[in-house]
């Protein structure tokens, strides 16, 4: 089980081997957690995710105090993003194939303040699990009516909403018969640039969760759960779409906030 | 009370058709007055270039002012927004056209905040690209002065003959770039303690 992995792109391991490696990492984490440190994010070094082997820093991250530039983020406005970009189903001449969904939520900072008028970007596979990307060559159909890229600006309460098609799982080359759980990629900014995050939203009850070394690189079960959207019948609309709700909590702001900024 | 943050996940292999955009690497127009090239290569732990990484920069203007003007995604050719994004090419190289950042306060060492994303990299990494010239300011910089000389040098850009800046990024290894963590910004390396 503790075989040192070799070539990160060899796809040599079986799912059983990968699952055993994940279980070992999680056991180690549980022991560590009992002695103090609770992890809230994904590990940069997670050997079952083979591509991380040569792409994680091995030296400690250096503590820095944020200076002016780190306490600000770029501003985005109407000139940057058209409201139509939040609907991924209207970018072509026809309707894309698949289950139409709306994903709604709020972007909050680590103290619960709404992150207002800030950029949210998404990208995803289509209903067959295929990306419009030259690197994705697996034999599933491209949908001529679906690109899978959207953008929006959050509203005054940090709210966002995308209309899209539910993506399907897709295969990848981490190991033999590796499949990613269905997900939507999200890219977010906060008020401080240090809150910048790229992540993935998943759908409730996906049977691939336990098998996926990217999702399981988040060692803490409660932290993993934070990436899973909730089915919300209030977001579903009669004869039109099903609905999911997913709130995103950024890391803490290091600004000094005045009363009126709150 | 602090809320538990949403975890990060890798940008993956397929961001290339979604996140990069026309004009992303050009914070100012190439050839415009004061424009410089900021370029470098992103390397993995074997010293091989990473062909599927993305780099973002965020910086003050030449006078040390932080822009809060919109327009980074749809540049008007005049407004300096301070932020840019580019994917690397097949040889792991990135190129921005920007300006030298000014000090945000007198005597401070100017730098560009740089963020790297990649397939295989589970969370973004932050680093700083310091201007090499003002030795006195560099010597007094609170971050640089905590670092050993060989680590410190990974954060100082090389000035090209044409006025450009070269800044290579090494995600792993002997000459690994110094990556930064900030208060209230949890990030887990997975190193054994
Ligand atoms: Fe994906």
């Amino acid at each position: 089980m503790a075989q040192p992995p070799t070539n990160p792109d060899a796809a040599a391991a079986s799912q059983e081997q990968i699952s055993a490696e994940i279980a070992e990492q999680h056991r180690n984490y549980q022991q560590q957690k009992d002695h103090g440190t609770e992890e809230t994010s994904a590990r940069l070094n997670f050997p079952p995710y083979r591509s991380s082997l040569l792409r994680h820093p091995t030296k400690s991250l250096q503590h820095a105090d944020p200076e002016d530039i780190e306490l600000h983020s770029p501003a985005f406005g109407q000139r940057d993003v058209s409201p139509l970009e939040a609907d991924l189903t209207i970018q072509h001449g026809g309707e894309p194939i698949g289950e139409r969904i709306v994903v709604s939520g709020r972007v909050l900072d680590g103290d619960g303040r709404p992150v207002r008028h800030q950029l949210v970007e998404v990208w995803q596979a289509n209903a067959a699990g295929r990306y419009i990307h030259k690197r994705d060559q697996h034999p599933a159909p491209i949908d001529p009516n679906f690109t899978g890229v959207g953008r929006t600006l959050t509203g005054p309460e940090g709210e966002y909403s995308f209309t899209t098609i539910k993506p399907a799982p897709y295969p990848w080359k981490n190991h033999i018969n590796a499949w990613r759980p269905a997900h939507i990629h999200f890219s977010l900014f906060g008020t401080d640039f240090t809150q910048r995050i790229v992540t993935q939203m998943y759908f409730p009850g996906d049977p691939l969760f336990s098998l996926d070394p990217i999702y399981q690189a988040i060692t803490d079960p409660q932290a993993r759960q934070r990436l899973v959207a909730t089915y919300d019948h209030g977001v579903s609309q009669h004869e039109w779409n099903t609905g999911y709700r997913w709130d995103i909590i950024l890391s803490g702001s290091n600004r000094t906030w005045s009363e009126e900024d709150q | 009370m602090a809320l538990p943050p949403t975890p990060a996940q890798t940008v993956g292999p397929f961001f290339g058709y979604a996140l990069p955009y026309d004009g992303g690497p050009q914070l100012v127009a190439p050839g415009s007055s004061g424009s410089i090239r900021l370029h470098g290569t992103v390397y993995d732990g074997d010293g091989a270039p990473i062909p599927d990484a993305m780099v973002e920069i965020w910086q003050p203007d030449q006078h040390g002012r932080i822009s809060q003007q919109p327009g980074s995604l749809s540049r008007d050719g005049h407004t300096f927004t301070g932020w840019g994004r580019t994917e690397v090419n097949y040889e792991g190289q990135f190129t921005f056209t920007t300006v030298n950042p000014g000090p945000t306060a007198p005597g401070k060492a100017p730098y560009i905040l740089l963020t790297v994303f990649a397939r295989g990299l589970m969370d973004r990494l932050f680093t700083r690209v310091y201007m090499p010239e003002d030795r006195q300011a560099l010597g007094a910089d609170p971050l640089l002065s905590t670092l050993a000389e060989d680590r410190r040098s990974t954060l100082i850009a090389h000035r090209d003959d044409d006025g450009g800046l070269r800044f290579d990024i090494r995600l792993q290894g002997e000459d690994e770039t110094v990556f930064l963590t900030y208060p209230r910004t949890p990030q887990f390396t997975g190193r054994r303690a």
Side-chain angles (χ1 to χ4, degrees):
Chain A
M1 187 158 76
Q3 295 279 334
T6 50
N7 180 352
D9 295 318
S14 65
Q15 181 67 58
E16 289 66 31
Q17 281 172 274
I18 294 293
S19 294
E21 289 179 33
I22 291 171
E24 187 186 15
Q25 296 282 333
H26 287 191
R27 267 196 307 279
N28 292 342
Y29 167 66
Q30 281 302 332
Q31 284 166 8
Q32 167 203 317
K33 189 182 179 184
D34 296 340
H35 295 97
T37 323
E38 180 175 336
E39 295 184 354
T40 52
S41 195
R43 287 191 176 182
L44 297 172
N45 176 18
F46 197 69
Y49 177 32
R50 296 292 193 248
S51 307
S52 77
L53 289 170
L54 290 170
R55 295 185 175 192
H56 71 272
T58 51
K59 302 183 195 304
S60 297
L61 301 177
Q62 183 71 29
H63 171 83
D65 284 318
E67 296 194 20
D68 280 350
I69 194 73
E70 282 128 345
L71 296 174
H72 289 80
S73 281
F76 298 93
Q78 313 246 318
R79 62 165 296 137
D80 292 298
V81 184
S82 153
L84 299 177
E85 293 181 74
D87 189 341
L88 287 74
T89 68
I90 57 168
Q91 296 173 352
H92 301 273
E95 289 276 349
I97 299 288
E99 177 185 348
R100 187 187 296 106
I101 61 171
V102 169
V103 178
S104 289
R106 295 174 74 203
V107 183
L108 303 173
D109 78 5
D111 298 301
R113 291 183 204 93
V115 177
R116 302 179 172 118
H117 314 306
Q118 198 37 287
L119 179 66
V120 181
E121 297 163 283
V122 294
W123 71 103
Q124 62 167 89
N126 68 20
R130 181 83 188 257
Y131 282 90
I132 304 289
H133 188 287
K134 54 189 178 297
R135 240 190 105 126
D136 185 0
Q137 293 294 340
H138 94 274
I142 282 172
D143 184 341
N145 290 318
F146 191 73
T147 305
V149 177
R151 296 196 286 215
T152 195
L153 297 175
T154 57
E157 298 304 321
E159 70 276 22
Y160 74 89
S161 187
F162 288 102
T163 300
T164 185
I165 292 295
K166 194 174 184 187
Y170 60 85
W172 61 308
K173 295 186 184 348
N174 188 69
H175 55 280
I176 297 163
N177 204 15
W179 289 82
R180 295 295 330 282
H183 59 273
I184 300 177
H185 295 266
F186 272 72
S187 165
L188 301 130
F189 294 77
T191 53
D192 304 21
F193 205 81
T194 55
Q195 295 170 300
R196 181 90 179 85
I197 186 173
V198 167
T199 187
Q200 301 177 23
M201 186 210 89
Y202 298 91
F203 293 87
D206 198 312
L208 294 165
F209 281 154
S210 67
L211 306 176
D212 179 39
I214 292 182
Y215 181 62
Q216 299 294 336
I218 305 161
T219 50
D220 192 278
Q222 283 175 300
R224 280 200 295 279
Q225 192 55 38
R226 289 180 203 121
L227 291 186
V228 182
T230 308
Y231 174 75
D232 185 339
H233 204 60
V235 180
S236 297
Q237 298 179 87
H238 182 66
E239 292 190 355
W240 189 245
N241 67 271
T242 54
Y244 292 87
R245 182 163 295 282
W246 188 52
D247 293 336
I248 299 144
I249 315 293
L250 306 182
S251 62
S253 167
N254 287 298
R255 287 187 183 187
T256 310
W257 291 82
S258 66
E259 234 8 82
E260 66 211 41
D261 290 327
Q262 296 284 329
Chain B
M1 196 191 86
L3 301 171
T6 303
Q9 294 271 266
T10 179
V11 75
F14 300 131
F15 62 85
Y17 82 105
L19 295 181
Y21 59 92
D22 287 346
Q26 277 101 43
L27 285 77
V28 297
S32 60
S33 163
S35 70
I36 59 159
R37 187 168 76 116
L38 165 65
H39 65 113
T41 302
V42 185
Y43 295 101
D44 74 10
D46 274 348
I50 295 181
D52 42 17
M54 184 178 84
V55 178
E56 291 180 356
I57 59 172
W58 170 229
Q59 63 163 97
D61 70 9
Q62 284 154 295
H63 309 290
R65 289 182 301 231
I66 296 169
S67 174
Q68 290 291 276
Q69 295 299 313
S72 295
L73 297 178
S74 171
R75 301 194 193 277
D76 65 10
H78 300 282
T79 309
F80 183 76
T81 66
W83 180 78
R85 171 191 283 167
T86 189
E87 61 189 326
V88 299
N89 64 17
Y90 288 115
E91 292 172 311
Q93 297 160 332
F94 63 90
T95 302
F96 290 96
T97 308
T98 186
V99 295
N100 288 307
T104 52
K108 276 198 164 181
Y111 63 86
I112 295 168
L113 182 61
L114 185 148
T115 313
V116 55
F117 305 81
R119 178 179 70 87
L121 178 60
M122 192 54 81
D123 196 358
R124 80 276 176 281
L125 291 171
F126 293 115
T127 189
R128 290 178 181 175
V129 182
Y130 281 91
M131 303 300 102
E133 281 83 15
D134 189 342
R135 308 306 298 185
Q136 201 178 345
L138 291 171
D141 183 83
L143 169 66
L144 294 178
S145 51
T146 61
L147 296 169
E149 179 54 36
D150 62 326
R151 301 287 293 135
R152 186 176 181 268
S153 62
T154 69
L155 298 185
I156 300 171
H158 170 83
R159 184 69 71 181
D160 296 332
D161 290 341
D162 66 0
L165 292 166
R166 196 186 77 232
F167 187 82
D168 291 332
I169 301 160
R170 293 181 172 81
L171 295 189
Q172 189 184 88
E174 270 308 295
D175 47 3
E176 185 175 302
T177 302
V178 171
F179 296 107
L180 305 176
T181 182
Y182 298 92
R184 312 194 67 202
T185 312
Q187 194 159 26
F188 300 93
T189 59
R191 297 163 70 244
R192 287 183 199 280

